[in-house]
């Protein structure tokens, strides 16, 4: 589904990603953990070209992102993204947030879009909020709307950039629940997270990143209970 | 010696002042309409990725902002026809002046409003597969427009008052008519007071409309 080869990313002189190799299979749930500033979010943002790649190769669903002939807008329709700050459109009602992209990009009819989006809102448990504005919702509800909005494009995979980090602790559960459900349905997921419980329970594979490289990766159970690298041990000791 | 106001007969001049009001409004409305379009174009051009578009926008904005309206009016009425070899009527010239002048200031208003929208909004739109233009049109612009309204109202009022300078290029607007009447009837004090009330009537109406619009758009 995604192949990453020797990915480098620089902001000016500052090299944030220093050679990343990674392979993601369909239906796999990858969780990325690591200290802040380790480059996990940048890595994620390179996968849908929100950050342009400095060098290396990223192939998503057969599209080479570094090829100037690739229409990035087409790739993005296949890759849903959920942001830490939700980034819902405040001037649009919840249902309109979901309907915008299917209508304008997929060009489906108003009626079809509405039906599809209402179903998705039902799925995330917010069908009754369709006609409200995002700011009338709690953080957890907003993030669930954001997930539904990404799903409205019927993407082949989903990127989650610290989806629960901006939430009050008691609202984290409802968002993770939706993500878990999605994983169980077989969605390919790439999740940057600080929720170790989620990574352990739902992740098929965990990547530990530090200073722009993947230090260690493996089965969650194994990585959490028996980390091989010293840096992984140190990190896990601090947070667990 | 201090005399007193003499309002007698002022009513006879009202038709002429209304003619002035008509031209003031005509030039303001058309000028600001074009000015808003210019402002949107150059405001977005000012933050475009393309260097040439950005360069042209900056030159336009800085040139207009850096010269007085009075000079612009005289230049467009007298100098521009020499270049384009085409005589401009004073009203046409007046509309061009207001359009260009307000356009430059509105461009900065547009730029500021667009830049004030959180970058995450554009990213969210792009991540859904919208192209830059679509994201701008459906996501950024509607939010930015709301923020433009208060400074736009300010600029509209300034531009409406700037039309008074167009009397120097013989636009038959309010001040022009007032001066004409005052010169013939020696009632400058009363006439200019009336003219001031006319301007106030326009600007207060505009303020009122804008206030209601702001309230309605405030979700």
């Amino acid at each position: 589904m995604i192949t990453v080869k020797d990915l480098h990313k620089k902001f000016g002189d500052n090299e944030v990603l220093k050679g990343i190799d990674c392979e993601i299979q369909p239906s796999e749930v990858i969780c990325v953990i690591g200290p802040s500033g380790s480059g996990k979010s940048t890595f994620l943002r390179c996968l849908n070209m929100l950050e342009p790649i400095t060098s290396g190769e990223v192939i998503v669903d057969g599209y080479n992102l570094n090829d100037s002939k690739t229409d990035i807008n087409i790739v993005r329709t296949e890759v849903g993204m959920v942001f830490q700050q939700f980034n819902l459109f405040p001037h649009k009602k919840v249902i309109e947030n979901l309907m915008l992209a299917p209508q304008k990009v997929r060009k489906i009819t108003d009626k079809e879009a509405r039906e599809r989006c209402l179903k998705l809102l039902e799925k995330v448990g917010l069908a009754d909020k369709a006609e409200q504005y995002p700011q009338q919702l709690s953080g957890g509800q907003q993030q669930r709307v954001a997930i539904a909005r990404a799903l409205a494009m019927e993407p082949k995979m989903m990127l989650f950039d610290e989806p629960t980090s901006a939430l009050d602790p008691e609202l984290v559960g409802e968002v993770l629940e939706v993500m878990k459900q999605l994983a169980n349905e077989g969605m390919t997921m790439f999740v940057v997270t600080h929720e170790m419980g989620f990574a352990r329970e739902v992740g098929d594979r965990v990547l530990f990143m530090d200073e722009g490289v993947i230090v260690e990766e493996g089965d969650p159970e194994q990585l959490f209970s028996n980390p091989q690298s010293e840096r992984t041990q140190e990190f896990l000791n601090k947070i667990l | 010696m201090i005399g007193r106001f003499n309002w007698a007969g002022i009513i006879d001049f009202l038709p002429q002042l209304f003619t002035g009001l008509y031209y003031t409004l005509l030039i303001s409305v058309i000028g600001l309409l074009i000015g808003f379009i210019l402002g949107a174009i150059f405001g977005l051009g000012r933050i475009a990725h393309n260097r040439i578009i950005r360069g042209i926008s900056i030159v336009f904005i800085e040139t207009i902002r850096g010269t007085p309206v009075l000079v612009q009016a005289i230049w467009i009425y007298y100098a521009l026809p020499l270049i384009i070899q085409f005589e401009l009527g004073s009203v046409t010239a007046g509309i061009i002046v207001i359009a260009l002048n307000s356009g430059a200031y509105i461009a900065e208003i547009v730029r500021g409003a667009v830049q004030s929208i959180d970058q995450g909004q554009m990213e969210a739109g792009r991540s859904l597969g919208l192209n830059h233009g679509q994201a701008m049109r459906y996501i950024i612009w509607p939010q930015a427009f709301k923020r433009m309204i208060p400074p736009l109202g300010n600029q509209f009022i300034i531009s409406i008052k700037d039309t008074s300078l167009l009397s120097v290029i013989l636009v038959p607007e309010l001040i022009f008519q007032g001066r004409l009447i005052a010169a013939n009837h020696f009632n400058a004090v009363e006439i200019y007071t009336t003219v001031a009330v006319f301007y106030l009537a326009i600007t207060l109406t505009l303020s009122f409309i804008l206030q209601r619009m702001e309230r309605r758009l405030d979700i």
Side-chain angles (χ1 to χ4, degrees):
Chain A
M1 183 103 234
I2 291 187
T3 307
V4 181
K5 279 188 196 145
D6 196 30
L7 168 63
H8 288 259
K9 169 69 190 176
K10 280 184 190 172
F11 292 105
D13 285 335
N14 182 17
E15 190 167 31
V16 178
L17 298 178
K18 304 169 181 167
I20 297 222
D21 294 277
C22 182
E23 185 88 35
I24 301 170
Q25 306 300 330
S27 292
E28 213 179 357
V29 177
I30 308 274
C31 293
V32 186
I33 60 170
S36 61
S38 59
K40 359 182 246 306
S41 284
T42 306
F43 179 26
L44 177 141
R45 289 162 61 85
C46 284
L47 297 180
N48 68 350
M49 280 275 264
L50 278 186
E51 298 296 348
I53 297 154
T54 305
S55 72
E57 216 171 51
V58 178
I59 294 165
V60 177
D61 194 30
Y63 294 98
N64 185 342
L65 298 195
N66 224 4
D67 186 342
S68 57
K69 285 195 282 285
T70 300
D71 183 349
I72 187 62
N73 293 320
I74 293 176
V75 182
R76 284 174 178 154
T77 60
E78 307 296 346
V79 183
M81 177 157 178
V82 175
F83 298 83
Q84 184 177 352
Q85 300 296 342
F86 330 136
N87 294 346
L88 293 177
F89 309 135
H91 61 301
K92 290 187 174 295
K93 290 177 181 170
V94 165
I95 186 79
E96 294 167 341
N97 263 272
L98 270 67
M99 286 166 64
L100 179 68
Q103 279 176 318
K104 301 304 175 193
V105 181
R106 298 263 198 240
K107 312 271 184 213
I108 66 174
T109 63
D110 202 70
K111 188 163 162 277
E112 208 180 328
R114 187 168 288 273
E115 270 169 29
R116 182 195 288 185
C117 295
L118 275 174
K119 244 179 241 161
L120 283 168
L121 282 178
E122 218 163 285
K123 182 174 173 168
V124 299
L126 293 170
D128 56 325
K129 307 286 185 197
E131 300 299 324
Q132 300 203 358
Y133 284 92
Q135 54 272 43
Q136 296 171 294
L137 272 54
S138 75
Q141 292 172 332
Q142 289 191 42
Q143 192 61 299
R144 279 145 68 197
V145 171
I147 294 173
R149 179 177 69 179
L151 292 174
M153 289 299 283
E154 303 185 326
K156 292 184 180 151
M157 69 168 301
M158 292 278 285
L159 309 175
F160 294 85
D161 188 4
E162 303 198 23
T164 58
S165 298
L167 297 175
D168 289 339
E170 78 269 22
L171 301 177
V172 169
E174 59 189 71
V175 172
L176 293 182
E177 203 50 49
V178 170
M179 290 168 64
K180 206 161 99 184
Q181 186 191 342
L182 211 54
N184 288 338
E185 288 168 8
M187 175 62 81
T188 312
M189 290 164 62
F190 187 93
V191 187
V192 171
T193 186
H194 293 294
E195 294 295 328
M196 298 305 148
F198 177 84
R200 197 165 193 155
E201 187 190 340
V202 183
D204 294 314
R205 192 148 46 104
V206 174
L207 311 182
F208 171 70
M209 281 184 74
D210 194 16
E211 293 181 2
V213 291
I214 297 175
V215 177
E216 187 170 348
E217 66 173 284
D219 176 70
E221 211 49 54
Q222 203 181 343
L223 190 134
F224 283 116
S225 53
N226 187 19
Q228 301 299 307
S229 120
E230 219 170 277
R231 271 144 85 193
T232 316
Q233 285 170 17
E234 206 180 308
F235 175 73
L236 290 176
N237 278 337
K238 265 187 215 152
I239 58 158
L240 290 179
Chain B
M1 193 189 88
I2 296 177
R4 48 178 69 200
F5 282 104
N6 178 13
W7 295 104
I10 209 80
I11 260 186
D12 298 337
F13 301 114
L14 285 183
Q16 200 178 340
L17 288 180
F18 272 110
T19 306
L21 179 68
Y22 166 75
Y23 281 105
T24 296
L25 285 175
L26 179 79
I27 290 171
S28 298
V29 170
I30 301 179
L32 284 170
L33 220 63
I34 302 171
F36 182 71
I37 296 167
L38 288 178
I41 292 171
F42 286 109
L44 295 175
R46 176 87 173 67
I47 44 179
H49 291 296
N50 187 310
R51 271 185 185 191
I52 298 166
I53 295 175
R54 217 167 53 221
I56 292 171
S57 306
I58 292 172
V59 169
F60 169 77
I61 293 167
E62 293 303 333
T63 310
I64 299 292
R65 285 201 312 178
T67 50
V69 193
L70 197 56
V71 175
Q72 289 162 10
I74 292 168
W75 195 87
I76 282 175
Y77 188 57
Y78 293 108
L80 188 63
L82 301 179
I83 297 170
I84 60 174
Q85 287 296 309
F86 184 81
E87 192 99 10
L88 291 173
S90 62
V91 173
T92 313
I95 289 171
I96 295 174
V97 171
I98 295 302
L100 290 178
N101 188 270
S102 66
Y105 287 95
I106 292 171
E108 286 294 272
I109 292 171
V110 168
R111 175 176 74 96
V114 167
Q115 284 182 328
S116 77
I117 303 299
D118 180 55
Q119 223 185 337
Q121 291 290 311
M122 177 57 93
E123 287 186 350
R126 296 305 305 274
S127 79
L128 287 165
L130 298 171
N131 62 38
H132 185 86
Q134 288 172 321
M136 194 49 111
R137 177 169 162 202
Y138 300 115
I139 299 167
I140 308 297
W141 184 265
Q143 296 181 57
F145 185 72
K146 230 169 80 179
R147 295 190 190 176
M148 285 176 214
I149 292 173
L152 273 181
N154 200 28
Q155 183 56 43
F156 285 1
I157 287 172
I158 291 173
S159 288
I160 288 168
K161 291 187 296 179
D162 279 350
T163 59
S164 63
L165 292 164
L166 299 174
S167 58
V168 298
I169 57 167
L170 313 178
V171 175
E173 45 67 66
L174 264 173
I175 289 287
F176 183 90
Q177 305 289 1
R179 186 180 300 153
L180 217 61
I181 298 166
N184 290 326
H185 301 276
F186 311 108
N187 52 356
V189 176
E190 292 80 7
I191 284 296
Y192 282 121
T193 307
T194 315
V195 164
V197 172
F198 273 53
Y199 277 110
L200 258 180
I202 306 175
T203 53
L204 288 179
T205 311
L206 181 64
S207 290
F208 177 74
I209 294 170
L210 285 164
Q211 248 179 45
R212 287 198 46 170
M213 218 167 135
E214 250 177 83
R215 228 176 303 152
R216 264 191 43 197
L217 281 174
D218 188 43
I219 302 153

